[in-house]
Amino acid sequence: RNGLQECEDCMITDIDTIYNVHYTMCRKPWQCMAEGYEGGKKPSGGKGNALDTNVVNVDHCHDLTRKWHSVRADLENQLFQLTKDSSIQDGTNGTYMQDIFHGHCKADGNEHYLLLSGSDDTFDKINGLYLNN
């Protein structure tokens, strides 16, 4: 809520004014779901395998998901600059809707998400990115 008498339509709220997101209706960013269908069901699959166009604005969901993946991409870029660990790039070579998923998805659906990649030494340096700033 924003203190107003009526709730604003969160499906059209400007992305730059959003500070917290609950991704349930837009699906979690790591589910690699970008297709919208009535009822959240693709013709070839079960319920919950698509964005439900009855309850979401698909373009807005794409914007929110794009933002999440841009934050992950920023982390990957900072880690690479710090460590020069080329295995980080293994988690960024997906080709599905790269403008939204930034290389983190191979195709539409849960099983197509590419996990954050890197060596154990690289992952040990993540805290340093934030504790030193």
Side-chain angles (χ1 to χ4, degrees):
R1 301 275 305 171
N2 58 11
L4 298 176
Q5 193 69 9
E6 296 180 19
C7 278
E8 64 185 290
D9 184 351
C10 63
M11 291 192 292
I12 58 171
T13 301
D14 184 351
I15 296 297
D16 293 332
T17 64
I18 297 173
Y19 296 93
N20 188 19
V21 176
H22 189 275
Y23 281 96
T24 297
M25 299 313 292
C26 286
R27 304 293 183 218
K28 306 299 189 260
W30 51 90
Q31 290 180 297
C32 300
M33 289 189 192
E35 298 180 30
Y37 286 91
E38 188 172 338
K41 180 182 177 193
K42 292 181 191 177
S44 62
K47 186 170 174 58
N49 64 358
L51 303 176
D52 185 349
T53 57
N54 291 330
V55 296
V56 302
N57 174 314
V58 173
D59 290 336
H60 200 252
C61 286
H62 288 173
D63 289 343
L64 293 169
T65 300
R66 180 180 295 109
K67 185 72 170 175
W68 188 93
H69 283 279
S70 72
V71 170
R72 176 182 153 175
D74 182 60
L75 169 65
E76 290 163 329
N77 290 334
Q78 288 185 55
L79 273 177
F80 181 75
Q81 292 304 313
L82 180 66
T83 66
K84 305 302 184 213
D85 178 358
S86 63
S87 70
I88 292 169
Q89 297 168 339
D90 294 342
T92 65
N93 60 13
T95 58
Y96 181 63
M97 299 185 84
Q98 290 179 313
D99 63 312
I100 296 172
F101 298 110
H102 295 267
H104 303 141
C105 297
K106 297 181 287 185
D108 193 74
N110 290 323
E111 65 276 11
H112 300 293
Y113 180 67
L114 297 172
L115 297 174
L116 186 66
S117 295
S119 69
D120 288 344
D121 288 340
T122 293
F123 289 135
D124 288 343
K125 292 184 174 30
I126 289 175
N127 281 342
L129 290 174
Y130 301 101
L131 297 176
N132 295 330
N133 289 329

